[in-house]
Amino acid sequence: MVKKELLKNEQIERVLSPHPLSFMKLQALCIFLIIWGIVVWWLTNSSEYASMFSGNMWYRLILWGLVLLFIGVVASLVAIQWLIFFLYLGVFAGGLSLIFSQHWEKDIALFIPLYSIAVSIVGFLIVELYRRSHKYIITDFRVIFKGGIFTKRERTIRYDKIADIDAKQGILGQIFGFGTIIPVSQSGFGLGSDKTMAAGGIEVGAKKVGLFGFAGGGKELQTPIARSYYELHGVYPYKDVKQLVENLVQTHVPTQYQKEQVEFEKQQVDIQKQMRDLLHKQISEKPRKKAVKQTTEEEPDEEEREEEKTSTEKNPVPEDAYQPEQVDIQQQMKELLKKQKTARVIQPDEDTEDEIEEEDESEQERKEST
């Protein structure tokens, strides 16, 4: 299937997927849910504080829900992604609906840990399915990014369009050898804004005092950031993949020296065209020589010879009519070759002795042709 998507003469360098631990941020949400459900069960049943929750069965549910939503707000502000809060809110709302619909009010103490473990297992499966949906194809022409469970996303970027490469490794990445590589395009694709804000206050009335709070976005910062299916997320081995991408980018992005050489070649082609047009012009305007007549034909009489001599004297074509133009073109070529040779001297590491000798031979051939 991958080979059918390749372009003509395109070769695959590597096919990658995110490391199993690369989505630990999402997996940590599930782990916390399991741990907190067990802690609530221990606090309300086996700890020294269990007597505080024996009076009312709803105390356990309120404690579980409040801490869950509070952690959801904190995690959303840190990760700058409010989806975390709404996920925890959905888990809490789902637990309430099950308790009331199935009339499990008397079994809240056992329901909370079992429900937390069940929801976490489902969460682990969804995260793993999401991870497996990612595929990164590195070829000698471009990088192809794919991802998504229900909506399939795909991005393609060519190496000559990459302006910068951002790479990062977390603690787990440094231990297990995986990391994330974000290619930033010349149009700015791969850059994003981080926004966070939290606020609170006290409302004082005539008869009551109230607390209120809200959170949202506010801080602006342009950083390399992209969706996991628009970047090389959690690829392994990180260092080898990073080196491969940088080498491919370097081979497709021309340096300043290469640009100068291309410009020199264009100027050489223009000068050669000028010389060719001048030679064609010279040939077309030279007087045509008459073919030698066969011996059997009659010799022209004196009157015809006189007329031919007169026409030649009236319209003479000087041999050096195009000499100034030839000198000018030769001078342009000489100056261009001098500039090109100077540019090559500046880059001694990129040129070899064979290339310099070939350049001298080509220069000599151009001089002989002109």
XYZ file of all heavy atoms in Angstrom, residues 25 71-82 84 194-197 219:
146
model
N 1.508 11.149 28.137
C 0.654 12.190 28.711
C -0.800 11.735 28.753
O -1.512 11.975 29.730
C 0.782 13.478 27.902
C 2.124 14.170 28.045
C 2.161 15.458 27.254
C 3.493 16.158 27.412
N 3.554 17.425 26.625
N -8.023 18.317 39.384
C -6.849 17.847 38.644
C -7.044 18.063 37.145
O -6.090 18.377 36.421
C -6.582 16.363 38.952
C -6.219 16.187 40.426
C -5.472 15.817 38.066
C -4.974 16.924 40.855
N -8.268 17.917 36.662
C -8.533 18.173 35.243
C -8.257 19.608 34.857
O -7.699 19.880 33.786
N -8.624 20.577 35.728
C -8.352 21.993 35.453
C -6.851 22.267 35.461
O -6.310 22.937 34.562
C -9.072 22.885 36.487
C -8.636 24.343 36.333
C -10.583 22.778 36.332
N -6.154 21.746 36.479
C -4.707 21.971 36.571
C -3.986 21.369 35.367
O -3.105 22.006 34.753
C -4.167 21.388 37.890
C -2.638 21.480 37.921
C -4.756 22.113 39.082
N -4.345 20.138 35.019
C -3.687 19.488 33.883
C -3.985 20.218 32.576
O -3.118 20.320 31.698
C -4.153 18.033 33.788
N -5.177 20.758 32.439
C -5.524 21.497 31.221
C -4.721 22.776 31.102
O -4.287 23.154 30.009
C -7.023 21.813 31.203
O -7.789 20.630 31.185
N -4.507 23.476 32.235
C -3.711 24.692 32.202
C -2.245 24.395 31.896
O -1.591 25.130 31.158
C -3.820 25.419 33.548
C -5.168 26.071 33.852
C -5.185 26.604 35.278
C -5.461 27.188 32.863
N -1.717 23.308 32.459
C -0.318 22.965 32.227
C -0.107 22.508 30.787
O 0.850 22.932 30.113
C 0.137 21.876 33.216
C 1.538 21.381 32.860
C 0.109 22.403 34.645
N -0.999 21.653 30.307
C -0.863 21.120 28.946
C -1.447 22.042 27.895
O -1.287 21.799 26.702
C -1.552 19.759 28.853
N -2.128 23.119 28.325
C -2.778 24.064 27.418
C -3.725 23.314 26.477
O -3.688 23.469 25.261
C -1.747 24.893 26.623
C -0.622 25.327 27.531
C -2.375 26.119 26.007
C 0.499 26.045 26.845
N -4.562 22.478 27.076
C -5.498 21.675 26.309
C -6.693 21.360 27.212
O -6.634 20.495 28.088
C -4.835 20.378 25.817
C -5.652 19.631 24.799
C -4.875 18.478 24.191
O -3.769 18.162 24.641
N -5.431 17.848 23.187
N -7.784 22.076 26.984
C -8.950 21.945 27.848
C -9.717 20.663 27.604
O -10.688 20.363 28.315
C -9.861 23.147 27.663
C -9.337 24.339 28.402
C -8.619 25.369 27.887
C -9.450 24.570 29.804
N -8.267 26.245 28.878
C -8.777 25.777 30.073
C -10.032 23.884 30.850
C -8.676 26.306 31.346
C -9.956 24.417 32.129
C -9.274 25.623 32.364
N -8.670 17.836 28.377
C -8.429 17.002 29.562
C -9.514 17.235 30.604
O -10.073 16.280 31.187
C -7.037 17.296 30.147
C -5.945 16.989 29.119
C -6.803 16.516 31.435
C -4.561 17.390 29.558
N 0.801 29.243 22.213
C 0.380 28.706 23.508
C -0.429 29.773 24.247
O 0.032 30.913 24.369
C 1.590 28.314 24.361
C 2.296 27.095 23.790
O 1.683 26.415 22.953
O 3.439 26.842 24.189
N -1.602 29.406 24.745
C -2.461 30.357 25.437
C -2.933 29.737 26.756
O -3.513 28.655 26.761
C -3.674 30.726 24.592
C -3.333 31.386 23.264
C -4.592 31.725 22.502
C -4.283 32.378 21.168
N -5.496 32.735 20.421
N -2.695 30.429 27.859
C -3.193 29.979 29.156
C -3.635 31.178 29.962
O -3.073 32.271 29.844
C -2.112 29.222 29.949
O -0.994 30.089 30.132
C -1.669 27.969 29.224
N -4.653 30.971 30.814
C -5.102 32.039 31.703
C -5.977 31.419 32.783
O -6.762 30.501 32.511
C -5.894 33.102 30.950
C -6.302 34.278 31.818
S -7.323 35.453 30.930
C -8.787 34.472 30.651
N -1.852 33.960 27.240
C -0.428 34.109 26.906
C -0.179 33.728 25.461
O -0.641 32.688 24.989
C 0.417 33.214 27.818
C 1.910 33.393 27.618
C 2.696 32.419 28.457
C 2.540 31.012 27.953
N 3.412 30.049 28.667
